[in-house]
């Protein structure tokens, strides 16, 4: 599996644009029961994982996404102890969640066990906390998992999904959010990756509607750069049962991060004019 000096390209359907990364080698290629999983060594972005040809993780920039998927929600909740990650099979989000000393249980429910096994091999630093006694790795359908969860089981639910097509589409629906609301304890917070503000404003709008219709009191979108995802600009949308999303525990971070801090948290919540109008 050697592709010398060529480029990996993800074309963004309907957007007339794409991202390319210069690759040194393809080091893994398999078809799991759910999708095609490929791993490349790139020239300047370290290791790259794609699922069905779409960029999921690179060594160089995944810290931004994983920190923004976890810390804003965890610092918004006053005292998160039980955290559920849906998807997130590369374990990068789980790894960030486990940095919070107050977390007692971090349960990850990924559909495709092969994604995690491949990540353990090629992204060991993302999987560094997989043996933490607080971590539980489950391989199951996250939609069903949340539907079956006992009411009030979790303080924070993080939906680290692929794009809203195929098996992930149900993770953006009102029914799923109703089940999240039920599975959350009082003061619970849910956050889901919500695509590009520039390319997918309709998705962000429909997520806000669905979360409110499901009964969440407050909904807010966080923006952050993610240079290897469509448009290079990404978002996560948070919703709370009853906590104020604009308030968060300041100066409470006692572990290192590379992107997230209090100023970034506040700045990520700021809404550009066109998003305000959504
Ligand atoms: N979650 C996938 C974000 C979607 C990327 N979309 C794309 N490249 N078209 C990433 C999982 C990281 N834990």
């Amino acid at each position: 599996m050697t592709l010398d000096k060529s480029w990996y390209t993800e074309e963004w359907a309907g957007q007339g644009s794409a991202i390319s990364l210069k690759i040194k080698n393809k080091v893994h290629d398999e078809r799991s029961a759910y999708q095609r999983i490929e791993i490349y060594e790139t020239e300047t972005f370290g290791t790259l994982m794609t699922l069905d040809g779409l960029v999921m993780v690179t060594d160089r920039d995944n810290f931004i996404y994983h920190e923004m998927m976890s810390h804003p929600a965890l610092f918004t909740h006053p005292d998160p102890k039980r955290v559920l990650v849906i998807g997130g099979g590369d374990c990068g989000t789980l790894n960030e969640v486990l940095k919070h000393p107050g977390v007692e249980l971090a349960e990850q429910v990924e559909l495709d066990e092969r994604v995690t096994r491949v990540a353990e091999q090629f992204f060991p630093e993302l999987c560094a906390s997989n043996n933490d006694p607080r971590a539980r790795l489950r391989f199951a359908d996250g939609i069903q998992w949340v539907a079956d969860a006992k009411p009030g089981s979790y303080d924070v639910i993080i939906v680290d999904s692929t794009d809203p097509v195929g098996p992930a589409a149900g993770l953006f629906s009102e029914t799923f959010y109703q089940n999240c609301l039920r599975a959350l304890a009082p003061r619970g917070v849910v956050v889901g990756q919500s695509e590009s503000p520039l390319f997918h404003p309709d998705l962000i709008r429909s997520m806000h509607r669905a979360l409110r219709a499901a009964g969440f009191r407050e909904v807010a979108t966080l923006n952050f750069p993610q240079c290897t995802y469509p448009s290079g600009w990404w978002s996560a949308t948070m919703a709370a049962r009853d906590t104020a999303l604009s308030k968060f525990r300041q100066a409470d971070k006692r572990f290192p991060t590379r992107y997230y801090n209090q100023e970034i948290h506040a700045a990520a919540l700021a809404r550009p004019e066109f998003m305000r109008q959504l």
Side-chain angles (χ1 to χ4, degrees):
M1 282 190 277
T2 310
L3 293 171
D4 205 37
K5 293 286 178 230
S6 70
W7 292 79
Y8 162 83
T9 296
E10 178 184 333
E11 275 186 53
W12 299 325
Q15 304 290 346
S17 60
I19 183 162
S20 291
L21 293 171
K22 195 164 198 184
I23 61 172
K24 290 200 280 204
N25 273 305
K26 186 189 245 190
V27 292
H28 186 81
D29 190 347
E30 74 173 78
R31 281 174 203 279
S32 72
Y34 300 97
Q35 56 208 336
R36 185 166 183 188
I37 307 172
E38 290 160 282
I39 306 284
Y40 301 86
E41 286 306 332
T42 70
E43 290 255 343
T44 58
F45 277 70
T47 308
L48 160 70
M49 178 194 277
T50 67
L51 295 181
D52 286 340
L54 306 178
V55 175
M56 292 296 126
V57 182
T58 81
D59 276 336
R60 191 169 182 185
D61 71 345
N62 81 79
F63 68 98
I64 304 175
Y65 176 91
H66 288 136
E67 291 181 15
M68 293 307 283
M69 287 297 293
S70 48
H71 304 313
L74 283 154
F75 283 120
T76 296
H77 190 286
D79 185 20
K81 290 187 161 62
R82 291 159 303 159
V83 179
L84 174 66
V85 178
I86 300 290
D90 53 71
C91 304
T93 297
L94 183 73
N95 194 44
E96 294 301 320
V97 168
L98 287 164
K99 288 182 180 175
H100 291 252
V103 167
E104 293 169 357
L105 168 73
E107 194 158 38
Q108 173 174 286
V109 181
E110 161 66 46
L111 188 58
D112 190 350
E113 179 169 0
R114 288 302 306 155
V115 173
T116 301
R117 300 302 165 223
V118 169
E120 285 169 343
Q121 188 180 349
F122 293 101
F123 292 92
E125 57 304 319
L126 298 185
C127 296
S129 303
N130 288 6
N131 294 322
D132 185 307
R134 301 170 297 158
R136 299 268 185 292
L137 270 56
R138 317 272 189 211
F139 300 102
D141 178 358
I143 297 173
Q144 197 57 45
W145 189 275
V146 174
D148 294 343
K150 288 207 193 82
S153 320
Y154 300 103
D155 298 313
V156 175
I157 299 177
I158 302 177
V159 188
D160 182 4
S161 70
T162 48
D163 294 341
V165 285
L171 296 170
F172 294 80
S173 73
E174 189 182 323
T175 312
F176 173 70
Y177 297 141
Q178 280 165 353
N179 288 329
C180 287
L181 188 73
R182 206 181 35 80
L184 284 169
R187 309 187 294 182
V189 177
V190 63
V191 61
Q193 78 88 2
S194 51
E195 308 281 300
S196 163
L198 190 68
F199 284 180
H200 314 109
D202 294 346
L203 187 263
I204 296 174
R205 183 184 14 230
S206 78
M207 236 172 121
H208 275 244
R209 285 212 185 111
L211 283 160
R212 282 192 189 280
F216 284 91
R217 267 239 326 255
E218 276 206 39
V219 186
T221 293
L222 301 146
N223 300 261
F224 49 92
Q226 194 63 31
C227 64
T228 57
Y229 286 173
S231 85
W233 186 21
W234 214 246
S235 71
T237 296
M238 264 197 308
R241 278 182 73 114
D242 40 36
T243 29
L245 293 174
S246 54
K247 288 215 194 112
F248 51 95
R249 287 180 287 126
Q250 309 253 342
D252 213 15
K253 184 172 82 68
R254 300 205 176 81
F255 50 81
T257 47
R258 288 173 66 203
Y259 187 72
Y260 179 86
N261 58 33
Q262 314 172 21
E263 286 173 27
I264 286 289
H265 187 147
L269 286 168
R271 279 179 306 165
E273 281 306 302
F274 80 90
M275 286 183 72
R276 203 181 284 273
Q277 279 150 28
L278 290 179

